Amino acid sequence: MSEERPTSDAAQEETADEVRFEETHATDDDAWATACAEDLAAEKARRRAQHGPPPGSAAEELRKLVDAVADKLSGLQSPLFGAVAGGTAQQVVNQVVQQAKAAVEPVLERNPEVFDHLAAAGSELLAAYRSAVENQERRWTTRSTDSRDDEPGPGEHIDLD
């Protein structure tokens, strides 16, 4: 036979209480997570409505820039070329735009994360430059011009009379 003892009613009630506590605790955790997710979604929607859509990756932004420049150049009518050369000039511009797009697209497709790294590196370089300039400006503005007149210079004063 089995060595298991039948459990008493008190032990069964404790086990049932533990199960109820765990279910309630799990439900509370889920409720908290659900509430947090809802709050986060509402905040994102509010910011999107206030500021517009967030910027994409650096590769997407470069693609948008190339497209915008290409559209602007394609629609540009130059009065410098005249009526006869205008059609030829427009064809040359369109060809250059298409070649630029053809050169940029494969790079964007193969290595989109490279542009994110380049953007981050550019931001770091800008921050370092800004820090250096601010430090130099601080040194320039804290110098007192009066102190130079009172202190003797490195040279010796010679009276010529």
Side-chain angles (χ1 to χ4, degrees):
M1 289 218 164
S2 170
E3 293 184 21
E4 291 181 14
R5 295 185 196 158
T7 57
S8 68
D9 290 337
Q12 288 178 351
E13 287 177 11
E14 285 180 16
T15 306
D17 286 342
E18 288 176 5
V19 169
R20 272 187 247 125
F21 174 75
E22 289 175 5
E23 288 175 357
T24 304
H25 187 65
T27 305
D28 289 344
D29 286 344
D30 291 341
W32 179 257
T34 303
C36 287
E38 289 172 356
D39 288 347
L40 181 62
E43 180 65 18
K44 284 182 179 180
R46 185 188 66 78
R47 287 184 183 215
R48 206 172 298 117
Q50 186 178 12
H51 301 290
S57 69
E60 291 171 0
E61 294 298 316
L62 180 61
R63 185 176 287 121
K64 288 179 187 176
L65 175 67
V66 168
D67 289 341
V69 170
D71 290 343
K72 193 68 167 176
L73 287 176
S74 296
L76 189 65
Q77 298 292 331
S78 178
L80 299 175
F81 297 121
V84 176
T88 307
Q90 191 66 32
Q91 289 175 351
V92 170
V93 167
N94 288 339
Q95 184 179 6
V96 168
V97 165
Q98 292 303 322
Q99 287 176 348
K101 278 186 173 182
V104 169
E105 285 296 324
V107 175
L108 292 176
E109 293 297 325
R110 284 191 308 250
N111 305 316
E113 68 278 352
V114 169
F115 294 99
D116 292 331
H117 292 296
L118 288 173
S123 296
E124 292 295 323
L125 284 172
L126 181 61
Y129 175 76
R130 187 176 295 139
S131 174
V133 168
E134 286 174 356
N135 287 338
Q136 186 62 38
E137 286 177 347
R138 193 174 308 117
R139 279 185 267 164
W140 288 337
T141 57
T142 57
R143 281 189 194 160
S144 174
T145 57
D146 297 335
S147 65
R148 284 193 211 161
D149 295 337
D150 297 339
E151 295 177 6
E156 182 179 326
H157 180 71
I158 301 173
D159 192 12
L160 297 177
D161 287 332

